[in-house]
């Protein structure tokens, strides 16, 4: 193999923080399979992308290359591939992710309250999300990370179990379930402890309904960070204005006004939003 071949570790990828790491074929393959690409399709994408890699390529460019290669083969899979990255791009703060998680619970029929303080037996606790439906009450903690590779370890459910116990003693802290929602993954110990203690972990390596592709496709809850028709700064302006989902831009067109887009650009954004929602619907119906 020639020097610089990705399989030989001759290519380094530059992350958003400027650090460099060796390109990992297996990491890219896993991300493609997570998005729903079959073995054959994942290998086709790798064969398409790898010859065009250059040392120092950014993770953002690598992601865009892989997404375009997927789009040529399966638009539905490309949308799902975009979702994982889109949740990371909701940052850098965790507030938009909290809003996104709240919209997931609202779609399931819950009444949602954000950032409420509840007195426990020993101390007061700030709860990211309190969701209520049909007499049931759940608490949810939202854990946002700016790195897709971050893995929540066992200290997270250990800490939240202690909070749950303290809250359950007080009348205001009564809850039927305690959820943790993260835009990344959990360690095996974290999953095992949560299962043992009755905590519900939702993330990219769990089967719980919130944060799954099915729920997002079913209710059209795609983050607006999925959009290719807007620049990063424009998407950040929309998030700062209170928009979180692609459907927000269709239901409230005035949100686009501060961006000062011309008529052609506005229609391009709306068209892409409609395409994303429609492709998600087709994916759900064909599942």
């Amino acid at each position: 193999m020639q020097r610089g071949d990705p399989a030989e570790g001759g290519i380094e990828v530059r992350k958003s923080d400027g650090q460099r790491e060796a390109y990992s074929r297996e990491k890219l393959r896993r991300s493609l399979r997570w998005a729903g690409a079959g073995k054959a399709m994942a290998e086709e994408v790798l064969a398409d992308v790898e010859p065009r890699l250059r040392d120092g390529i950014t993770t953002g460019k690598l992601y865009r290359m892989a997404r375009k290669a997927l789009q040529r083969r399966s638009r539905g899979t490309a949308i799902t591939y975009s979702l994982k990255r889109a949740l990371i791009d909701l940052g850098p703060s965790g507030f938009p992710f909290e809003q996104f998680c709240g919209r997931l619970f609202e779609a399931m029929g819950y009444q949602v309250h954000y950032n409420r303080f509840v007195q426990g037996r020993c101390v007061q606790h700030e709860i990211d999300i309190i969701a209520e439906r049909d007499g049931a009450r759940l608490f949810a903690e939202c854990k946002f990370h700016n790195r897709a590779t971050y893995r929540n370890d066992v200290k997270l459910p250990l800490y939240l179990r202690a909070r749950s116990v303290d809250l359950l003693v007080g009348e205001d802290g009564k809850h039927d379930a305690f959820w943790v929602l993260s835009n990344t993954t959990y360690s095996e110990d974290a999953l095992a402890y949560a299962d043992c203690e009755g905590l519900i972990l939702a993330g990219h390596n769990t089967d719980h309904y919130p944060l799954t592709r099915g729920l997002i496709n079913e209710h059209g809850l795609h983050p607006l960070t999925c959009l290719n028709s807007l620049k990063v700064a424009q998407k950040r302006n929309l998030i700062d204005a209170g928009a979180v989902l692609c459907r927000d831009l269709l239901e409230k067109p005035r949100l686009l006004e501060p961006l000062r887009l011309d008529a052609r650009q506005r229609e391009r954004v709306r068209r892409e939003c409609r395409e994303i929602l429609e492709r998600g619907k087709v994916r759900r119906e064909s599942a």
Side-chain angles (χ1 to χ4, degrees):
M1 295 184 181
Q2 297 179 349
R3 184 180 179 183
D5 190 304
E8 290 292 325
I11 297 292
E12 287 191 340
V13 177
R14 182 158 46 88
K15 299 189 290 185
S16 58
D17 60 4
Q19 296 185 19
R20 294 165 69 104
E21 64 178 22
Y23 163 74
S24 169
R25 174 179 291 171
E26 184 55 35
K27 184 182 294 186
L28 179 55
R29 180 184 285 118
R30 283 199 306 268
S31 70
L32 295 168
R33 295 301 307 280
W34 178 89
K39 290 182 179 180
M41 184 184 296
E43 295 307 315
E44 287 179 11
V45 172
L46 288 170
D48 187 334
V49 168
E50 288 188 339
R52 295 182 286 135
L53 297 182
R54 297 293 181 269
D55 189 42
I57 186 172
T58 64
T59 54
K61 185 172 183 180
L62 176 58
Y63 155 74
R64 290 190 293 272
M65 290 170 63
R67 184 183 60 197
K68 287 181 180 179
L70 273 177
Q71 282 180 327
R72 291 193 290 271
R73 293 164 174 83
S74 170
R75 290 185 172 184
T77 304
I79 290 174
T80 303
Y81 186 72
S82 298
L83 284 175
K84 190 172 184 179
R85 178 75 184 203
L87 291 177
I88 297 292
D89 289 344
L90 282 173
S93 78
F95 177 73
F97 181 65
E98 288 182 15
Q99 298 296 304
F100 173 75
C101 292
R103 298 288 289 273
L104 295 178
F105 284 116
E106 288 176 348
M108 294 187 292
Y110 286 92
Q111 182 179 3
V112 173
H113 307 281
Y114 298 92
N115 305 117
R116 293 290 179 87
F117 287 91
V118 180
Q119 182 62 47
R121 184 176 73 89
C122 301
V123 296
Q124 191 178 62
H125 302 260
E126 184 177 10
I127 310 299
D128 290 341
I129 291 174
I130 298 176
E132 298 173 318
R133 183 185 69 183
D134 300 329
R137 190 182 197 216
L138 64 85
F139 291 165
E141 183 86 0
C142 303
K143 289 298 180 183
F144 175 84
H145 305 289
N146 285 295
R147 289 188 295 111
T149 56
Y150 186 92
R151 176 162 289 195
N152 297 284
D153 63 25
V154 71
K155 291 191 295 293
L156 174 61
L158 282 167
Y159 155 72
L160 291 172
R161 172 58 178 161
R163 292 187 67 192
S164 179
V165 170
D166 189 53
L167 284 161
L168 280 170
V169 175
E171 186 61 34
D172 292 340
K174 298 294 184 183
H175 55 279
D176 298 285
F178 206 123
W179 288 69
V180 187
L181 299 98
S182 177
N183 64 327
T184 60
T185 60
Y186 301 90
S187 70
E188 293 301 319
D189 282 348
L191 293 170
Y193 180 82
D195 183 61
C196 180
E197 290 291 348
L199 296 168
I200 302 175
L201 305 186
H204 292 316
N205 63 335
T206 73
D207 296 326
H208 290 297
Y209 201 39
L211 289 180
T212 62
R213 292 165 286 178
L215 181 62
I216 292 171
N217 288 330
E218 179 179 350
H219 295 284
L221 303 175
H222 303 79
L224 62 82
T225 42
C226 286
L227 294 171
N228 296 318
S229 52
L230 290 173
K231 297 178 180 178
V232 172
Q234 292 173 320
K235 287 184 274 193
R236 175 51 46 198
N237 287 339
L238 289 170
I239 290 173
D240 290 343
V244 176
L245 309 178
C246 291
R247 66 183 306 159
D248 292 338
L249 306 184
L250 295 175
E251 296 170 355
K252 301 176 182 178
R254 60 179 178 76
L255 288 169
L256 291 172
E257 292 177 3
L259 300 185
R260 298 183 179 179
L261 305 175
D262 60 33
R264 181 181 58 82
Q265 291 172 317
R266 288 196 300 272
E267 180 52 34
R268 182 185 175 194
V269 172
R270 288 194 291 264
R271 183 171 62 249
E272 187 181 8
C273 288
R274 289 192 293 269
E275 288 176 354
I276 287 173
L277 297 183
E278 185 58 32
R279 291 172 193 167
K281 179 180 178 183
V282 170
R283 184 178 180 85
R284 172 176 60 87
E285 291 177 346
S286 62

